[in-house]
Amino acid sequence: MQQKDVLPMKTEKSDKRVSSQISAPETITGAEAVIRSLVEEGVETIFGYPGGAIMPIYDALYDFQDVVHHILVRHEQGATHAAQGYARSSGKVGVVFATSGPGATNLVTGLADAYMDSTPMVCITGQVASVLLGTDAFQETDVIGITMPITKWNIQVTRPEDIPGAIAKAFYIARNGRPGPVLVDITKNAQFGKLDFQYKQCEYIRSYQPLPALNEAAIDAAAVLINSAKKPFILCGHGVLLSGAEKELIALAEKAEIPVASTLLGLSAVPVDHPLYAGFLGMHGNYGPNILTNECDVLIAVGMRFDDRITGDVSQYARQAKVIHIEIDAAEINKIVKADVAVHADAKPALQALLEKVEKKENKEWIAEFRVADKEEYEKVQKNELFPEEGGLKMAEVIRMISDRTKGEAVLVTDVGQHQMIASRYYRFKNPNTNITSGGMGTMGFALPAAMGAKMGTPEKEVVAIIGDGCFQMTLQELGTIYQSKIGVKIVILNNNFLGMVRQWQQLFFDRRYSSTEMTNPDFVQIAKGFFIPGKKVTDRSEIVAAIDEMIAHEGAYLLEVVVEKEDNVFPMVPAGAPISAIRLE
């Protein structure tokens, strides 16, 4: 079995998942067993697209429409991103249906994205009958071989009696430990065949230990380093959110007065207005946390994997610091940055144990260094981006206005590029799990379908998708899903008529040779209206506040296109391959 140790998804329903009751036997088809198994796992929403090889399962779904809500997407990739958004916002497992061949291969990008970003997802694909396997039958593809490197686990089921056990195991693996996607491929004869259905949720797999035992000696060693530190620094990663350890992290930071910076996927774990929040790490992160990483004496990395966007030139990364790495996946420890103290554990119990042994301290002079850096960044970068005296609308001022009008409480779903970095820098997140983006893969086209899923997962919250003009055109067909399923997402297109991030690199490092990055765009508002979704285009600064208010006040989906400066760049910036201390403010 492919295995990456993973964290438990936090959810109030987690205790209900591990019922040891076994349902009474009943003879049903394999197709119905799929649906019944999903119901037993508490699945309420499925994102999918029907086709020949999965048609028996869709037929069985017809009788469960009052129990399970199926969202008909317009492309299978959209189903995977929607399931990701659903999982990330709700804490549940996202579920996807697709047919064989091209239907299954269209899941690949979303599976890879979910694997990189540790998102729990169960994809169920139909397959040709087992007697046709290996014959190049119509719409036959080796989806198991294709998806093996990008799933935590996958399996092909050829007998109806194996369906309940495979699905139970799939959910256990997807949600336990470090979460991730799994795929269950079911042949057509297994769907038509009969079995005596029983369902028991999986509680244990002999070869899989999702929660490592906490090593008290490692906790003691970490506490010693923190207690002796003059300049301690916490890096907060996605694992903090996945573990539900936000309160423990903040408590530790407050007790020992340690500044906390966030990775891209760690955003929203710590409220932006918290006095110890030091900012956003990475290539386009805040100035202070980047340069002061190379000044701290103890670096406490929690639930993060030292991605290259965080470290820059790793040979020059935090060489002066003692490194404490709290991480549930043993494969991530010492992979990129050598840990002086490795705590192989789920973030929540590790932080709880550490909190008891860390001494109360003050680090006012150290924290003041971050404030000095913040002031320098404000004067050289933020002031002009937030309050420009001339020129067109800037992305930063639009994001800050959206943040102000939503009070930092919306679920922000961002696509990939300049707008993603600007949104991450300027939206003032208040609550956990309100930042949903494609981190490790950087998948353009992610935001629109992911926002659909996020709204389905948390219908009580305002969900705002921030999308670039290039990204929007990769998955805009999902406007049809939004209209048909009446999903009330708010869509903001920041339109600079460029593939902005690539153009920025071309400007800075390729002598402004803008090769294939300028966009000739359609009328986005008219396209939305074609899907019966109202919208507005804004080109002037004087119109933007009223337009945002109109969008938020509107019941249901709404598209707001904001035309921003064509050559607006994102700073600060760490040049590729440079050390993080080489971060540029201009």
Side-chain angles (χ1 to χ4, degrees):
M1 178 178 72
Q2 302 157 248
Q3 180 177 326
K4 275 182 92 177
D5 282 358
V6 236
L7 336 174
M9 286 297 287
K10 63 167 187 164
T11 169
E12 295 175 358
K13 294 191 175 183
S14 60
D15 291 341
K16 297 179 182 178
R17 296 177 182 156
V18 290
S19 168
S20 59
Q21 295 180 355
I22 304 175
S23 54
E26 183 181 351
T27 301
I28 59 175
T29 66
E32 185 176 345
V34 170
I35 307 301
R36 294 274 290 271
S37 297
L38 296 178
V39 171
E40 290 281 348
E41 290 290 345
V43 173
E44 298 170 345
T45 304
I46 298 168
F47 302 92
Y49 203 97
I54 200 171
M55 206 175 296
I57 292 174
Y58 270 91
D59 182 67
L61 179 64
Y62 188 87
D63 294 325
F64 289 81
Q65 295 179 73
D66 58 338
V67 180
V68 181
H69 188 193
H70 180 269
I71 305 297
L72 176 62
V73 297
R74 297 307 187 259
H75 190 284
E76 291 89 352
Q77 181 181 339
T80 57
H81 295 327
Q84 288 177 272
Y86 179 87
R88 296 264 291 273
S89 69
S90 70
K92 302 174 184 177
V93 177
V95 179
V96 173
F97 280 177
T99 194
S100 64
T105 58
N106 281 344
L107 304 180
V108 167
T109 298
L111 284 166
D113 196 293
Y115 188 69
M116 287 282 277
D117 288 353
S118 303
T119 303
M121 183 163 67
V122 171
C123 293
I124 295 175
T125 53
Q127 183 57 275
V128 299
S130 56
V131 295
L132 295 175
L133 291 172
T135 68
D136 293 331
F138 178 68
Q139 292 192 334
E140 181 199 356
T141 300
D142 180 10
V143 68
I144 297 300
I146 290 169
T147 63
M148 190 173 290
I150 53 171
T151 53
K152 275 187 74 182
W153 180 70
N154 64 18
I155 188 172
Q156 186 171 79
V157 179
T158 59
R159 303 189 311 164
E161 58 267 33
D162 294 333
I163 287 173
I167 291 177
K169 190 173 179 180
F171 274 85
Y172 180 81
I173 293 171
R175 65 162 65 106
N176 283 284
R178 179 179 177 177
V182 302
L183 183 138
V184 181
D185 190 46
I186 307 176
T187 60
K188 204 164 184 180
N189 59 292
Q191 297 174 47
F192 278 124
K194 297 289 185 73
L195 72 153
D196 291 334
F197 179 76
Q198 295 180 288
Y199 197 79
K200 182 181 179 183
Q201 291 185 328
C202 182
E203 300 175 25
Y204 170 76
I205 299 173
R206 186 177 61 181
S207 60
Y208 180 44
Q209 306 298 324
L211 287 178
L214 190 63
N215 185 326
E216 291 294 337
I219 294 295
D220 289 340
V224 168
L225 284 180
I226 294 170
N227 290 336
S228 63
K230 303 298 183 186
K231 294 183 175 183
F233 190 21
I234 295 174
L235 309 187
C236 169
H238 192 199
V240 173
L241 289 158
L242 294 172
S243 179
E246 303 91 349
K247 291 180 180 178
E248 287 78 6
L249 182 86
I250 292 169
L252 176 67
E254 290 176 344
K255 185 175 182 180
E257 201 166 50
I258 306 173
V260 181
S262 172
T263 66
L264 175 62
L265 292 181
L267 286 170
S268 81
V270 179
V272 170
D273 59 2
H274 192 284
L276 290 174
Y277 182 68
F280 169 44
L281 291 161
M283 179 175 279
H284 291 288
N286 294 111
Y287 185 59
N290 275 296
I291 61 169
L292 292 175
T293 295
N294 281 358
E295 298 291 334
C296 69
D297 57 2
V298 174
L299 191 67
I300 308 147
V302 187
M304 55 89 73
R305 56 188 179 86
F306 291 108
D307 176 79
D308 62 288
R309 286 297 199 258
I310 298 295
T311 65
D313 180 1
V314 73
S315 70
Q316 300 185 60
Y317 179 79
R319 289 182 297 180
Q320 79 295 337
K322 297 291 186 182
V323 176
I324 300 166
H325 194 181
I326 300 172
E327 171 60 47
I328 196 167
D329 187 349
E332 299 293 352
I333 297 173
N334 295 322
K335 184 176 83 174
I336 295 170
V337 172
K338 187 180 184 306
D340 294 279
V341 176
V343 182
H344 179 211
D346 180 12
K348 190 175 183 110
L351 290 171
Q352 287 171 337
L354 195 55
L355 184 60
E356 295 178 5
K357 299 184 178 184
V358 165
E359 298 168 359
K360 189 169 181 61
K361 291 179 68 177
E362 290 187 355
N363 291 301
K364 288 186 169 36
E365 291 183 5
W366 171 231
I367 290 168
E369 292 188 39
F370 286 87
R371 302 291 85 89
V372 171
D374 290 345
K375 185 175 180 181
E376 185 175 357
E377 181 180 343
Y378 178 80
E379 290 297 326
K380 291 186 176 179
V381 178
Q382 296 178 0
K383 185 173 166 182
N384 182 56
E385 289 192 335
L386 292 171
F387 309 106
E389 295 180 357
E390 58 184 7
L393 277 162
K394 289 187 172 287
M395 291 179 283
E397 62 179 314
V398 177
I399 296 297
R400 183 54 60 86
M401 289 176 193
I402 293 171
S403 180
D404 290 344
R405 309 314 276 189
T406 59
K407 301 177 181 177
E409 295 178 341
V411 176
L412 200 73
V413 186
T414 54
D415 224 295
V416 173
Q418 287 183 315
H419 59 280
Q420 176 191 35
M421 295 296 101
I422 290 290
S424 300
R425 286 172 49 76
Y426 291 103
Y427 193 84
R428 299 186 63 78
F429 297 99
K430 271 193 178 179
N431 303 313
N433 297 304
T434 52
N435 167 56
I436 298 174
T437 195
S438 173
M441 278 290 286
T443 302
M444 291 180 66
F446 172 87
L448 187 63
M452 299 185 324
K455 186 64 176 178
M456 296 298 297
T458 51
E460 74 284 359
K461 293 181 181 178
E462 191 74 78
V463 175
V464 181
I466 306 295
I467 311 177
D469 48 308
C471 292
F472 183 70
Q473 293 177 78
M474 288 199 167
T475 51
L476 65 79
Q477 68 272 10
E478 298 305 335
L479 291 173
T481 307
I482 290 169
Y483 171 65
Q484 180 172 346
S485 297
K486 298 179 174 58
I487 305 172
V489 298
K490 303 305 193 292
I491 305 155
V492 179
I493 299 175
L494 298 182
N495 182 7
N496 58 12
N497 292 285
F498 263 115
L499 298 176
M501 189 62 83
V502 182
R503 183 212 56 76
Q504 177 170 335
W505 280 55
Q506 289 174 335
Q507 176 185 337
L508 298 176
F509 307 115
F510 292 88
D511 300 322
R512 292 182 183 266
R513 291 161 60 87
Y514 294 158
S515 177
S516 301
T517 48
E518 189 162 9
M519 305 283 287
T520 301
N521 288 321
D523 187 330
F524 294 122
V525 174
Q526 282 300 114
I527 287 173
K529 287 180 179 177
F531 288 97
F532 307 100
I533 295 171
K536 177 174 283 188
K537 181 176 182 176
V538 172
T539 59
D540 190 84
R541 186 168 285 112
S542 63
E543 304 171 317
I544 188 64
V545 172
I548 292 170
D549 286 344
E550 180 180 329
M551 174 184 73
I552 294 170
H554 180 76
E555 290 290 332
Y558 189 98
L559 184 143
L560 175 62
E561 178 189 356
V562 183
V563 177
V564 296
E565 275 196 359
K566 202 167 185 183
E567 295 188 67
D568 193 5
N569 287 332
V570 184
F571 285 104
M573 178 181 184
V574 179
I580 54 172
S581 54
I583 189 168
R584 295 172 52 172
L585 289 172
E586 54 191 8

